């Protein structure tokens, strides 16, 4: 079992950058796939990206590919989402997620954080 807490959200101007963090607890963290999702006001929660347990495999949604980067530091039990070239359409609550299964972490993850707000102004 793993517990997740997001941080790093805030207000940024369009074209700027922001890094989100997700701190995890649980003795099996190093073997979990870690994902990021986001949910804009009045919209469905959608997949953003995922990273394997050792960081060797990553996959991103087309909407963020080339702008967002996922990384993880297993020594700190933390996964990051670095966001560059932010657009107003990136405004959403961002959630981290975890699952032992590569497919489930992209669709119906077993564990969720509480989310952190990202607002991009123009």
């Amino acid at each position: 079992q793993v517990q997740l807490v997001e941080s790093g959200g805030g207000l940024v101007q369009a074209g700027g950058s922001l890094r989100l963090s997700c701190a995890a607890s649980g003795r099996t963290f190093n073997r979990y796939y870690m994902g990021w999702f986001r949910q804009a006001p009045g919209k469905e929660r959608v997949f953003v990206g995922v990273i394997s347990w050792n960081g060797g495999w990553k996959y991103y949604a087309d909407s963020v590919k080339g702008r967002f980067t996922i990384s993880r530091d297993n020594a700190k039990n933390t996964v990051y989402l670095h966001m560059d070239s932010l657009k107003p359409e990136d405004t959403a609550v961002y959630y981290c997620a975890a699952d032992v299964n590569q497919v489930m972490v992209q669709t119906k993850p077993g564990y969720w954080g509480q989310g952190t707000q990202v607002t991009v102004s123009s």
Side-chain angles (χ1 to χ4, degrees), residues 21-39:
S21 299
C22 177
S25 61
R27 54 189 174 93
T28 62
F29 170 77
N30 289 356
R31 290 294 183 268
Y32 278 72
Y33 292 87
M34 301 294 298
W36 285 96
F37 291 72
R38 67 186 183 185
Q39 186 168 22

Side-chain angles (χ1 to χ4, degrees), residues 12-16 38 62-65 67-68 83-92 94 118-122:
V12 63
Q13 293 185 14
R38 67 186 183 185
D62 289 341
S63 59
V64 306
K65 189 175 183 179
R67 299 188 298 120
F68 291 11
M83 305 180 291
D84 289 321
S85 302
L86 282 162
K87 308 173 181 179
E89 63 199 72
D90 295 319
T91 295
Y94 283 71
V118 172
T119 303
V120 184
S121 62
S122 59

Side-chain angles (χ1 to χ4, degrees), residues 59-73:
Y59 178 72
Y60 302 93
D62 289 341
S63 59
V64 306
K65 189 175 183 179
R67 299 188 298 120
F68 291 11
T69 302
I70 297 174
S71 63
R72 66 192 295 168
D73 185 342

Side-chain angles (χ1 to χ4, degrees), residues 106-119:
Q106 302 175 60
T107 55
K108 297 289 184 180
Y111 303 97
W112 291 96
Q114 294 300 307
T116 185
Q117 176 71 49
V118 172
T119 303

Side-chain angles (χ1 to χ4, degrees), residues 43-85:
K43 304 291 187 178
E44 299 284 280
R45 188 173 300 185
V46 298
F47 169 78
V48 173
V50 63
I51 186 170
S52 63
W53 68 270
N54 64 356
W57 179 81
K58 304 173 184 178
Y59 178 72
Y60 302 93
D62 289 341
S63 59
V64 306
K65 189 175 183 179
R67 299 188 298 120
F68 291 11
T69 302
I70 297 174
S71 63
R72 66 192 295 168
D73 185 342
N74 289 343
K76 297 181 178 179
N77 287 349
T78 301
V79 63
Y80 304 96
L81 182 67
H82 185 88
M83 305 180 291
D84 289 321
S85 302

